[in-house]
Every structure is written in structure tokens, then in C-alpha cells.
Amino acid sequence: MDLELRHLRIVRAVADAGSVSKAASLLGLAQPALTAQLKRIERLLGGTLFERDRHGARPTRLGELVLARARVLLPAAKELQDEAVRFAHTPSPGFRIGATNGPILGGLVDRLATERKVSTYTSWSARELNGMVELGRLDYVLTGACGDSGTPTGTLLWETISLDPVFCLVRDAHPVAKEKEVELADLADEQWAVTPGDGCFADCFAMACARSGFTPGTIYETDVPTCVHLAQVGRAVVLCQATHQAAQGLTMIPLAGAPLRWRQLLGRHPTAPEAAWVVAQAKQAHMDAVRRSPVYSDWLVRNPGYGTAP
């Protein structure tokens, strides 16, 4: 038997009610039936979830762990269900755009919204977004890949929007924060933070480190706010796109020789509306992001042969 959402609902109900009998009443079950289900859940999870006596039911340490996860997962599952229903029943006469984490989605939406309605859907998984476009649930997907990798396979049509170096974020007090650029090898002893993805970036980073003579230590794969926090407290160096806007307390520094590159890609369904215009707007949104980044703009002046075009 696998753990299911209904099992988590039972754990939450018992904890909230403070007793199995009260939870059974709330769930519309007979107490013996709920007790039997709870025992099956405890066998599945490997231990007792509640200490039960005449005063009621109190979570054990294992119960507290399961309950904490349940209080996150159950609302998330409900939100997913509601969002899916809204998505399936909402007409979309405008542009439907999916995107992974990146710096140009906002600019692209701003440009497109001057002409037509725009809806967005974000995910860390480029594969998920590509599948949604292939199924016709999205018109476009804005994603990225390591600079040396090709475009994804499948039925989508792809355009390269830009080819940018990967920079790093460090806290202002970091020893290299005042440098114009830093050798990757000089960061060999650091811990790292990156946003998640299902592409080859982790492998490309490992190979770049190997070329610089070291194996990277701990790599925290997490969301943008957590990456920023880890950099601000000096716990990690963050790998970021060159068009990223550094948060307060952080400094963005180029990696010498651009050992890592990131290709911004725009994929589209063959029937996507106004494709040529959308591609042009995406490229303009990227150039807007470049102009907003003094670090990247300065780096391009010092590296005139690089450019941001594919």
C-alpha cells in the first residue's frame, strides 16, 4: 500500500480533533473503522503516529513530522486541483506562455500585453512545459539550456533568444566582491546554490569545475529566495544568469573566461499566434534586461567579441 492523500487527511483530522472518536465523527466514519485505518497508516509509515489514552490523542515525534508534511501537501493538492479546473475551463484568446525561472518573462509579458491578453504558467520543469505546448495547452514556452547543448527534441519550433554567460552572486562582504571578475578555481572551497531544473546544467557545471581543477562541494538546489538568502548569509555562492538583478547585500560577479553559458530559448506550437512578432518581442525583452544590468553591460564592453546574440 502506498501513502495517499486520504491517509494524510486522516492524520490531520485526528490531530486537529485531539481524539480518534472526535475525528471519526468529523469524517463520518465509525470509530473502529477509523482506528483500523490509522493502524494501517502507522504500519505503512513504520511507527506510531499518536499516543492515545483516555485524555485523547497526541502526536508522537513521527506524528509531528507526518503532520507537518500533511499541512503543506494537502493545501497544495487542493490548490493544484482548483488551478487545473480553472485552467481547463478558462478560454484563452491571447498568448499562453509557460516559463521556467528566468529574467525576461516579465518584460515579454509587458510587451505582449500591449496588444493582446497574456496568461502565464511557470514550472521548474522544462519537460513539463514542453509537453503542455505539444498538447496545445500553451502557445509558447520560454526556457533555457546550457550554451553548448542543442535545442530540445519533439514537435515544437525553437528560436534562440540569446546566449549569455553565467555569473555568480556573493554577499557584499565576500573577499571577491570588489573584483571585476573571478576565476572559477578561486571559488573551489565554496558551497553553491542554483535553482532547480531538469536539463544538463548540473553536468555542465561539474565539467567546468573539473576543467578548473576541482570538484564542487555542496550544491543547494532550491528556489530563488532561498538562493538569495544563502548568499546573503555567506552560506553559498549562487550561479545566476548574467541579466539577473542582484538583491540588496549581494554583488554579481562575472566568471573569468565565461566557463558556463546559458542559452535562452523560445519554443512554440506550430499553430502559435503571431510567431515572428512574439520572437522579436522576446529578443527585445532580453536586450532590455541586458541594459538594466550594469555588471553585464560592463562585461560586454570588456568582451566585445562575445555578444548576446546566438
Side-chain angles (χ1 to χ4, degrees):
M1 182 174 69
D2 293 327
L3 185 66
E4 301 176 14
L5 290 176
R6 62 187 179 90
H7 299 143
L8 297 180
R9 292 190 185 99
I10 289 173
V11 173
R12 183 179 64 179
V14 173
D16 289 346
S19 75
V20 175
S21 61
K22 292 180 180 178
S25 177
L26 291 172
L27 294 172
L29 298 172
Q31 181 175 337
L34 181 58
T35 299
Q37 288 195 47
L38 186 57
K39 287 181 178 179
R40 286 196 292 271
I41 296 169
E42 289 178 329
R43 285 197 298 271
L44 176 64
L45 295 177
T48 302
L49 299 180
F50 294 95
E51 295 178 354
R52 299 188 284 275
D53 55 31
R54 62 188 181 87
H55 298 294
R58 297 177 302 280
T60 62
R61 289 183 62 194
L62 176 59
E64 292 284 3
L65 171 65
V66 175
L67 183 61
R69 299 296 190 274
R71 294 198 189 282
V72 174
L73 292 172
L74 290 174
K78 182 62 167 61
E79 182 181 352
L80 172 60
Q81 181 179 349
D82 293 344
E83 183 180 353
V85 171
R86 288 195 302 270
F87 189 94
H89 294 87
T90 301
S92 299
F95 300 109
R96 301 171 299 170
I97 303 174
T100 53
N101 174 61
I104 67 174
L105 175 61
L108 177 59
V109 169
D110 182 43
R111 286 175 167 272
L112 299 184
T114 61
E115 299 292 331
R116 293 176 66 175
K117 178 182 176 181
V118 180
S119 62
T120 60
Y121 180 87
T122 57
S123 171
W124 64 266
S125 173
R127 294 192 186 100
E128 176 193 4
L129 296 170
N130 295 350
M132 292 177 69
V133 178
E134 288 180 337
L135 292 172
R137 295 175 60 190
L138 295 171
D139 302 310
Y140 293 91
V141 56
L142 187 61
T143 183
C146 291
D148 297 324
S149 64
T151 56
T153 58
T155 61
L156 304 192
L157 304 175
W158 292 93
E159 295 280 351
T160 295
I161 302 304
S162 67
L163 181 61
D164 302 309
V166 173
F167 289 174
C168 64
L169 287 173
V170 299
R171 62 175 177 170
D172 291 345
H174 195 284
V176 304
K178 302 300 182 183
E179 303 294 331
K180 284 286 187 181
E181 60 182 18
V182 60
E183 296 285 346
L184 184 58
D186 292 339
L187 302 172
D189 295 330
E190 299 286 350
Q191 299 181 94
W192 301 87
V194 296
T195 52
D198 49 13
C200 61
F201 184 78
D203 294 333
C204 293
F205 176 54
M207 288 189 290
C209 293
R211 289 193 295 268
S212 295
F214 72 96
T215 300
T218 301
I219 301 176
Y220 300 104
E221 193 174 79
T222 184
D223 55 60
V224 173
T226 303
C227 285
V228 168
H229 176 76
L230 291 173
Q232 288 173 329
V233 299
R235 186 64 62 184
V237 171
V238 178
L239 295 169
C240 67
Q241 298 179 39
T243 46
H244 179 80
Q245 300 294 304
Q248 184 176 3
L250 296 181
T251 298
M252 186 167 71
I253 305 177
L255 294 170
L260 289 165
R261 301 185 300 168
W262 188 252
R263 188 183 301 273
Q264 297 277 358
L265 297 168
L266 183 70
R268 69 180 187 274
H269 192 275
T271 63
E274 302 185 44
W277 184 70
V278 172
V279 170
Q281 297 308 306
K283 292 182 177 181
Q284 285 299 316
H286 172 264
M287 292 309 301
D288 291 342
V290 172
R291 285 188 285 269
R292 289 194 300 269
S293 174
V295 175
Y296 191 14
S297 298
D298 179 67
W299 187 89
L300 288 172
V301 170
R302 291 184 283 109
N303 296 269
Y306 189 90
T308 63

